[in-house]
Amino acid sequence: MKKKLAFLIFILIIVILSIFVYYRYRYQTESIFYSIFPIFSWISVDQPVLFNHLHHKEAVQLNCSFCHRYIERYRAAGIPNIELCRACHATDVMSKRPEALKVIDYVKANREIPWNRMYELPKFVVFPHWIHIQNKVNCSVCHGFTGVKERPIQMVDRNYMEWCMDCHQKRGASNDCYTCHSS
Ligand code: HEC
Ligand code: HEC
Ligand code: HEC
Ligand code: HEC
Ligand code: HEC
């Protein structure tokens, strides 16, 4: 009986310790965890149309900034509107795949596709894309496979405060609170 109790207390202490370590050293534990199990670092997202980045990158050779047009000069990257899809998907000449046919319906109805946002920081964080692009930080550093997969996927292992600050420290960018938390 005593042994059982001691064992239970031991387990309890381990659990409390790991919770503490997780929150105190979240960045370190997460990066170790995701480097052992990279498969958990991305999840599929349900979108109204399963937009295929890979096709548009390889079959049509479109640059990221062809669709995400504000990326080089502004804070936001920009999600393309239906007018851009109309250029190629007004009819089924380009693609007769079922997902592409859905796009044609939206184009004909002149309706925007109600995309779900995958990356969104809280309002109190300023994130300017342009300065990172001009400093030659690759999209894949922050978005991983998102821009190059057949299905919409989100990387869940990045884009939180310690992660941002880690690179800022390595690259000599400012880690002043006001850098990322001003209006
Ligand atoms: C043909 C236009 C097009 C091109 C080219 C394109 N994208 Fe996209 N991208 C989209 C559309 C439409 C969405 C919204 C649908 C979705 O999230 O799956 C999107 C979504 C994204 C998102 C997620 C946005 C969010 O937070 O919801 C990222 C990140 C992204 N694209 C990165 C890239 C990268 C990197 C490239 C270049 C390799 C690229 N895209 C090229 C059209 C494009
Ligand atoms: C420059 C031309 C071009 C533009 C602009 C374009 N697409 Fe496409 N898209 C293509 C081509 C070409 C294919 C066919 C690839 C294939 O069938 O092999 C395709 C295929 C697709 C498919 C089917 C892919 C699959 O595997 O199911 C979807 C969905 C799609 N496009 C959505 C969009 C959306 C949404 C937009 C607007 C944000 C857009 N496309 C803009 C050229 C374009
Ligand atoms: C240093 C990290 C970083 C890099 C590099 C980066 N992004 Fe982002 N991206 C983010 C973060 C963080 C968000 C969420 C921003 C927010 O909520 O204000 C985001 C949001 C987005 C979105 C969502 C919609 C929007 O308008 O902001 C798209 C699309 C996108 N990024 C595309 C790209 C493309 C394409 C590239 C490369 C040319 C790129 N990103 C490079 C971190 C990055
Ligand atoms: C891979 C490296 C890297 C990552 C990750 C990164 N940054 Fe940066 N960031 C930079 C570099 C390089 C600069 C440019 C510094 C300069 O020009 O002085 C910069 C500049 C900035 C600036 C402007 C600084 C100024 O002096 O005005 C802000 C704001 C910023 N980053 C926010 C973020 C946020 C928020 C994240 C996380 C979502 C993030 N960054 C992730 C490398 C990175
Ligand atoms: C490189 C950019 C960057 C810098 C520098 C930075 N932060 Fe943050 N901060 C972020 C991001 C990104 C988030 C959002 C985290 C998330 O959504 O998980 C955040 C979130 C927060 C939060 C909310 C925490 C939570 O768990 O909700 C607080 C408080 C905060 N930061 C305080 C600070 C203080 C104090 C400093 C100065 C020592 C600072 N930040 C410097 C990027 C930064």
Side-chain angles (χ1 to χ4, degrees), residues 26 30 34 37-47 50-51 53 115-122 139-160 163:
R26 180 167 158 214
E30 287 204 349
Y34 287 121
F37 307 107
I39 189 85
F40 290 115
S41 67
W42 49 276
I43 53 164
S44 277
V45 179
D46 243 1
Q47 293 284 21
L50 296 178
F51 178 75
H53 269 94
W115 304 113
N116 299 315
R117 279 287 294 267
M118 290 198 266
Y119 295 88
E120 198 159 26
L121 294 173
C139 311
S140 65
V141 173
C142 306
H143 296 301
F145 296 127
T146 306
V148 287
K149 274 279 187 190
E150 318 78 53
R151 284 284 172 271
I153 63 153
Q154 180 192 357
M155 308 301 289
V156 291
D157 61 335
R158 49 196 92 188
N159 300 350
Y160 52 91
W163 185 86

Side-chain angles (χ1 to χ4, degrees), residues 166-179:
D166 186 58
C167 174
H168 276 205
Q169 194 180 7
K170 285 184 191 139
R171 296 279 303 257
S174 165
N175 263 341
D176 212 69
C177 310
Y178 284 113
T179 308

Side-chain angles (χ1 to χ4, degrees), residues 35-84:
S35 63
I36 303 174
F37 307 107
I39 189 85
F40 290 115
S41 67
W42 49 276
I43 53 164
S44 277
V45 179
D46 243 1
Q47 293 284 21
V49 172
L50 296 178
F51 178 75
N52 188 327
H53 269 94
L54 188 67
H55 265 146
H56 292 88
K57 184 165 179 263
E58 292 190 337
V60 223
Q61 302 282 321
L62 297 179
N63 274 331
C64 309
S65 57
F66 179 84
C67 295
H68 303 296
R69 338 198 119 167
Y70 304 121
I71 198 115
E72 276 147 25
R73 274 170 298 143
Y74 299 97
R75 270 192 194 170
I79 302 280
N81 61 18
I82 197 72
E83 289 312 312
L84 202 129

Side-chain angles (χ1 to χ4, degrees), residues 9-148:
I9 291 175
F10 175 73
I11 297 283
L12 200 69
I13 290 174
I14 295 284
V15 169
I16 290 172
L17 261 181
S18 19
I19 291 172
F20 172 77
V21 167
Y22 176 75
Y23 282 102
R24 180 67 184 75
Y25 301 101
R26 180 167 158 214
Y27 177 67
Q28 288 86 342
T29 29
E30 287 204 349
S31 45
I32 292 171
F33 176 78
Y34 287 121
S35 63
I36 303 174
F37 307 107
I39 189 85
F40 290 115
S41 67
W42 49 276
I43 53 164
S44 277
V45 179
D46 243 1
Q47 293 284 21
V49 172
L50 296 178
F51 178 75
N52 188 327
H53 269 94
L54 188 67
H55 265 146
H56 292 88
K57 184 165 179 263
E58 292 190 337
V60 223
Q61 302 282 321
L62 297 179
N63 274 331
C64 309
S65 57
F66 179 84
C67 295
H68 303 296
R69 338 198 119 167
Y70 304 121
I71 198 115
E72 276 147 25
R73 274 170 298 143
Y74 299 97
R75 270 192 194 170
I79 302 280
N81 61 18
I82 197 72
E83 289 312 312
L84 202 129
C85 314
R86 188 191 301 275
C88 297
H89 294 289
T91 62
D92 63 3
V93 176
M94 278 285 185
S95 175
K96 293 182 173 53
R97 293 171 194 265
E99 291 297 315
L101 298 181
K102 286 195 206 163
V103 179
I104 300 174
D105 291 339
Y106 280 103
V107 169
K108 289 214 172 113
N110 216 355
R111 269 197 326 128
E112 291 300 332
I113 304 172
W115 304 113
N116 299 315
R117 279 287 294 267
M118 290 198 266
Y119 295 88
E120 198 159 26
L121 294 173
K123 288 272 170 287
F124 55 83
V125 185
V126 182
F127 176 77
H129 267 97
W130 66 273
I131 202 165
H132 295 89
I133 306 309
Q134 287 186 359
N135 276 277
K136 310 248 174 323
V137 181
N138 209 298
C139 311
S140 65
V141 173
C142 306
H143 296 301
F145 296 127
T146 306
V148 287

